[in-house]
Each structure stands twice: as structure tokens, then as C-alpha cells.
């Protein structure tokens, strides 16, 4: 008798890093004979790869996973897992709020997902596989990826910056760079398989190389990748303004394969707020970086992230941000309303900008950016 093929459904929330992590879990499970289900209702295993970066992202996960409680009652064999940042950030809450969830697995332990599923099939109860980042390990994955034209390659995991609003250092752990040989081998294999656009991923790509035995930095890595790119386009996210500079811009200008798009989160145009956010740069320094970039990378584009309504953000602070946006004229801006995050230092500050005011500031910046984008398109 031929055993029925097991079906898995993966729903991903959040950033490109999560998209990529899901892709790796998918590949790992395909290597074990799983096939992808088109609909969660058809699946034997449903996985949610989750995001904790803003409250709204977590609310969406609670809503979506909550909707599967009934299905689980009618199909007790169904396995439901919560992967990623929220598994780490909300480990104390999830099984209480969502008792039909079978397991939690943090971002640094994702290569353990197939083993966890096997244990649950063999009768284990709730499983938590968390905290892998504390040992500094990077999860290992099979490398038989079957890429499309656009693919991600992780170069560094975790973050050491501790921006005061951000949960990432607590759920993804400290920075760990992958050795350049491993990255180059992966890039080579992906290009051989037909990848045309490769995006290098890291919370702060500019600190690539710190802590590795080899002596290499991000620009050094870009140079090595450029030599083997053979026609593929290489992009990267995210850059941190305190670590980006003219050396990077020179590489973006001179290396043929390297994309000329710089995603450089500004977060705020007020020095007082930048300081409270622990960002490590002033508004003036940020503007100077943009000036250098535009002077050196003639066809470059620049995009940003902005948070409105950070604790203590007055109308004047907000005006400073608006002013900076008008002055810089970004090619695109992603605007977020501040929400307090577990573990993050800003949790100790009073979340004192009322929601209606956050919404107003959000709308004003959106409209301002729309006008700028319209003007740029003309
Ligand atoms: N509240 C609102 N936005 C946030 N971001 C990170 N943490 C928070 C938070 N607590 C935004 C930042 C970051 C982007 C990925 O998400 O702008 O650059
Ligand atoms: Fe979070 Fe700041 Fe690290 Fe980005 S650089 S992941 S915003 S702590």
C-alpha cells in the first residue's frame, strides 16, 4: 500500500526575512516527502510563520490562528505550529490564548520543525522549541532550493543595535554573520539554477563580518559576490544609517551587479526622538548621508521607514520629521504607527501619543510622500 502524501500549508506574516525562513522550512519539509496544500483546510500540518514587530502584526496572527480552532476539533490529527518571532515573544501567552496550537518554534530553531512534527505525531503534547539564538547558532538547512527568478540569501541574522522600540534583538538574538564562502557557494548555486535577482538579507547588513574569523566587511562581501554574479542583479536590505557610508556608496556606484536602491530607515527627523530611539545618528548626519549617496550614485533611489507617535513625540518633533521628508524627497517611505513591544526599552516610556493623533500623523506623512512620489514620476 502506498502511504498518503502528507500536505503542509505555510502562512507567512511580516518581513522578507520571514518569507525566506518559510521558504527554507518548506524546502526542508519537501525533502521529507511533504507536498504543499493549496488551502489550509486540506493540510495535515498548518504552520504560521509570525511577526512581532508591531502590535497589529500580532493581532492578525491571533485572529487568523484563532479561526482554526473549530477545524482542529473536527480533525484532532491536524498539527498546528507557530513559528518565528511571535513564538519567542509570546511564548507565555500563545498556548493559553490558542490551546489548539501544538507547537512553538523560534526563528533560530526552524531546522528542527520536521523533528518536532514527528514527535507530535508520536503522541508528544505541546512542544516549545525556543531560545536557539542564545547559543549563537544559525539554523542549518538543506541546500536543494529550487529558486524562481527572485531569491533571498541570508547573510547575517539577529541584531545588536537595540533600538528602543524594537523587539528583534530579543527574538532573533545577537548578530551572527555567515562565513563568506557559504554565502558565495549559495549565490553560485542559485545563479546556476537560473536566479536573476538576489536580495541579500540582514537586520543590519552593514555590520556583516563582525565576529567572523575571516577579515571581511559588507563592502568586501559585495565585491566578492560581484565577481561571480554573471549577469544577476544583487540587492540588499536593510542598511543602518549609523553604519552606512561612502565606502558602501562607492561599491553601489562601481560594482555592476549591485543594485542602486538603498533602503535606509530614518525613523524620525527629530534629534530628541532619534536619541530616545537609540538610533545612534542625528538628523543632520542622516541628511548628509543622503547627500553623499545622491552625489555619488547618480541613478540611485532611496527608500525609508518612519515611525510616528513614538513616546514623547510632540507636534514640533513630528514637524521636524515632516520637514526632513519634504527636504529629502524619498522615492518611497513606509510609515508605521508606534506600538509598544515586549522586552523593548521604550516599553518603560509612557505611550503618550493618542491613537487618533498617531493616525493623523500617519495620514499626513502618507499624503506628503504621495505628493513627492507623484512629482518624481512626472
Ligand atoms: N512600532 C512601530 N513600528 C515599528 N518598527 C519597528 N518596531 C516598531 C514599533 N514598536 C518599524 C520600524 C522598522 C520597521 C521594520 O518596522 O520603522 O524599520
Ligand atoms: Fe530593530 Fe534597530 Fe535592529 Fe532594525 S536595527 S532590527 S530597528 S533593533
Amino acid at each position: 500500500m502506498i502511504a498518503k502524501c502528507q500536505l503542509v500549508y505555510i502562512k507567512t506574516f511580516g518581513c522578507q526575512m520571514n518569507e525566506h525562513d518559510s521558504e527554507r522550512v518548506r524546502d526542508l519539509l519537501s525533502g521529507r516527502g511533504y507536498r504543499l496544500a493549496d488551502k489550509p483546510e486540506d493540510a495535515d500540518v498548518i504552520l504560521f510563520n509570525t511577526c512581532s514587530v508591531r502590535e497589529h502584526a500580532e493581532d492578525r496572527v491571533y485572529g487568523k490562528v484563532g479561526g482554526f480552532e473549530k477545524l482542529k476539533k473536527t480533525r484532532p490529527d491536524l498539527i498546528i505550529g507557530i513559528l518565528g518571532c511571535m513564538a519567542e515573544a509570546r511564548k507565555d501567552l500563545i498556548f493559553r490564548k490558542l490551546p489548539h496550537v501544538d507547537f512553538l518554534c523560534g526563528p533560530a530553531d526552524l531546522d528542527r520543525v520536521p523533528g518536532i512534527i514527528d514527535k507530535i505525531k508520536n503522541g508528544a503534547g505541546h512542544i516549545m522549541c525556543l531560545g536557539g539564538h542564545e547559543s549563537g547558532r544559525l539554523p542549518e538547512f538543506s541546500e536543494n532550493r529550487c529558486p524562481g527568478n527572485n531569491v533571498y540569501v541570508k547573510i547575517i541574522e539577529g541584531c545588536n543595535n537595540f533600538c528602543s522600540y524594537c523587539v528583534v534583538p530579543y527574538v532573533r538574538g545577537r548578530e551572527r554573520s555567515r562565513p563568506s564562502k557559504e554565502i558565495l557557494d549559495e549565490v553560485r548555486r542559485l545563479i546556476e539554477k537560473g536566479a536573476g535577482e538576489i536580495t541579500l538579507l540582514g537586520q543590519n547588513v552593514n555590520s556583516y563580518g563582525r565576529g567572523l574569523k575571516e577579515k571581511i566587511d559588507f563592502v568586501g562581501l559585495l565585491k566578492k559576490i560581484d565577481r561571480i554574479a554573471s549577469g544577476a542583479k544583487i540587492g540588499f536590505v536593510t542598511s543602518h544609517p549609523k553604519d552606512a557610508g561612502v565606502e558602501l556608496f562607492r561599491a553601489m556606484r562601481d560594482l555592476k551587479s549591485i543594485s542602486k536602491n538603498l533602503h535606509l530607515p530614518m525613523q524620525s527627523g527629530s534629534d530628541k526622538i532619534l536619541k530616545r530611539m537609540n538610533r545612534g545618528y542625528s538628523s543632520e548626519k542622516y541628511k548628509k548621508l543622503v547627500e553623499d549617496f545622491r552625489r555619488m550614485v547618480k541613478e540611485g533611489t532611496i527608500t525609508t521607514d518612519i515611525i510616528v507617535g513614538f513616546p514623547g513625540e510632540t507636534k514640533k518633533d513630528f514637524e521636524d520629521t515632516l520637514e526632513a521628508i519634504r527636504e529629502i524627497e524619498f522615492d518611497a517611505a513606509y510609515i508605521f504607527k508606534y506600538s509598544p513591544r515586549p522586552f523593548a526599552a521604550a516599553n518603560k516610556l509612557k505611550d503618550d501619543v493618542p491613537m487618533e493623533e498617531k493616525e493623523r500623523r500617519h495620514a499626513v506623512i502618507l499624503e506628503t510622500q504621495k505628493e513627492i512620489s507623484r512629482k518624481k514620476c512626472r
Side-chain angles (χ1 to χ4, degrees):
M1 197 177 83
I2 302 169
K4 181 181 158 278
C5 180
Q6 291 276 294
L7 294 178
V8 60
Y9 183 87
I10 308 184
K11 165 89 185 149
T12 308
F13 297 83
C15 62
Q16 288 143 312
M17 195 63 107
N18 263 16
E19 292 286 345
H20 181 48
D21 283 345
S22 293
E23 189 179 73
R24 312 269 271 185
V25 172
R26 206 178 297 131
D27 286 343
L28 211 54
L29 289 171
S30 329
R32 301 278 190 112
Y34 281 83
R35 287 213 341 261
L36 284 186
D38 294 329
K39 301 196 295 289
E41 293 76 14
D42 297 339
D44 303 289
V45 177
I46 305 179
L47 303 176
F48 297 91
N49 193 9
T50 59
C51 171
S52 265
V53 84
R54 285 174 293 277
E55 196 176 354
H56 178 63
E58 289 193 339
D59 289 344
R60 283 182 58 215
V61 172
Y62 285 129
K64 188 83 188 166
V65 182
F68 285 92
E69 193 165 1
K70 256 199 193 147
L71 186 67
K72 175 86 177 182
K73 279 201 182 120
T74 60
R75 287 185 40 209
D77 288 351
L78 173 68
I79 295 177
I80 299 181
I82 297 217
L83 319 179
C85 297
M86 218 174 135
E88 291 283 351
R90 299 300 187 190
K91 56 176 175 275
D92 301 328
L93 254 184
I94 293 177
F95 287 139
R96 250 188 294 142
K97 273 191 147 179
L98 305 164
H100 56 295
V101 167
D102 295 288
F103 74 93
L104 311 182
C105 183
D109 292 293
L110 295 178
D111 51 350
R112 301 198 163 140
V113 166
I116 299 173
I117 294 174
D118 287 346
K119 277 191 193 147
I120 292 176
K121 279 185 187 161
N122 291 329
H126 281 165
I127 292 183
M128 289 200 210
C129 187
L130 303 166
H133 57 78
E134 280 158 23
S135 68
R137 76 188 277 275
L138 278 166
E140 283 168 32
F141 289 90
S142 69
E143 280 304 338
N144 39 10
R145 285 215 273 155
C146 198
N149 186 48
N150 299 320
V151 289
Y152 297 124
V153 170
K154 197 181 282 193
I155 63 165
I156 177 169
E157 171 70 276
C159 184
N160 286 0
N161 290 314
F162 294 94
C163 300
S164 66
Y165 50 80
C166 188
V167 72
V168 168
Y170 305 93
V171 290
R172 287 193 177 265
R174 295 303 85 71
E175 277 172 12
R176 283 100 71 208
S177 292
R178 287 175 75 196
S180 67
K181 179 171 175 329
E182 215 178 285
I183 297 171
L184 288 163
D185 286 347
E186 186 173 355
V187 168
R188 236 182 248 115
R189 272 198 300 274
L190 290 169
I191 291 173
E192 273 165 20
K193 286 185 183 172
E197 277 180 38
I198 297 178
T199 305
L200 308 176
L201 293 180
Q203 257 74 39
N204 175 12
V205 289
N206 313 102
S207 51
Y208 174 78
R210 284 179 206 159
L212 279 178
K213 282 196 195 110
E214 57 184 317
K215 213 173 152 333
I216 187 162
D217 60 8
F218 182 52
V219 171
L221 180 71
L222 288 181
K223 286 181 181 161
K224 284 189 185 216
I225 293 178
D226 184 63
R227 271 183 235 129
I228 59 159
S230 52
K233 200 84 205 143
I234 314 292
F236 54 89
V237 277
T238 290
S239 292
H240 195 302
K242 81 178 165 51
D243 299 317
V246 289
E247 237 191 285
L248 173 65
F249 306 156
R250 204 171 293 125
M252 293 173 80
R253 180 190 67 193
D254 297 339
L255 304 178
K256 268 218 172 71
S257 68
I258 307 299
S259 152
K260 297 191 192 313
N261 177 39
L262 181 68
H263 184 62
L264 194 68
M266 178 173 85
Q267 310 297 6
S268 170
S270 148
D271 285 343
K272 181 190 94 189
I273 297 297
L274 285 171
K275 197 153 194 209
R276 284 185 167 210
M277 286 178 165
N278 192 30
R279 288 291 286 172
Y281 54 87
S282 64
S283 185
E284 198 185 320
K285 159 136 195 252
Y286 186 91
K287 287 176 188 166
K288 169 80 172 57
L289 267 182
V290 174
E291 211 182 289
D292 289 341
F293 176 73
R294 290 213 164 117
R295 191 185 63 253
M296 294 174 68
V297 189
K298 288 291 181 240
E299 270 131 50
T301 54
I302 190 161
T303 56
T304 203
D305 292 344
I306 304 284
I307 298 177
V308 294
F310 185 82
E313 186 188 71
T314 59
K315 293 208 162 137
K316 164 78 177 70
D317 296 317
F318 173 67
E319 286 303 321
D320 288 346
T321 301
L322 203 55
E323 187 53 44
I325 290 173
R326 287 201 186 104
E327 189 182 326
I328 294 169
E329 300 195 325
F330 292 104
D331 292 275
Y334 303 89
I335 328 292
F336 306 104
K337 285 166 265 178
Y338 171 76
S339 56
R341 298 291 67 215
F343 318 116
N347 258 354
K348 295 198 190 83
L349 307 173
K350 190 161 175 259
D351 184 15
D352 57 357
V353 180
M355 187 44 98
E356 311 82 76
E357 183 57 16
K358 284 182 189 165
E359 275 163 6
R360 191 192 70 79
R361 294 179 190 182
H362 185 263
V364 171
I365 297 192
L366 267 187
E367 196 43 50
T368 307
Q369 183 56 41
K370 249 197 223 157
E371 268 169 42
I372 295 168
S373 304
R374 246 182 260 135
K375 196 175 108 190
K376 284 190 159 229
C377 278
R378 265 184 231 139

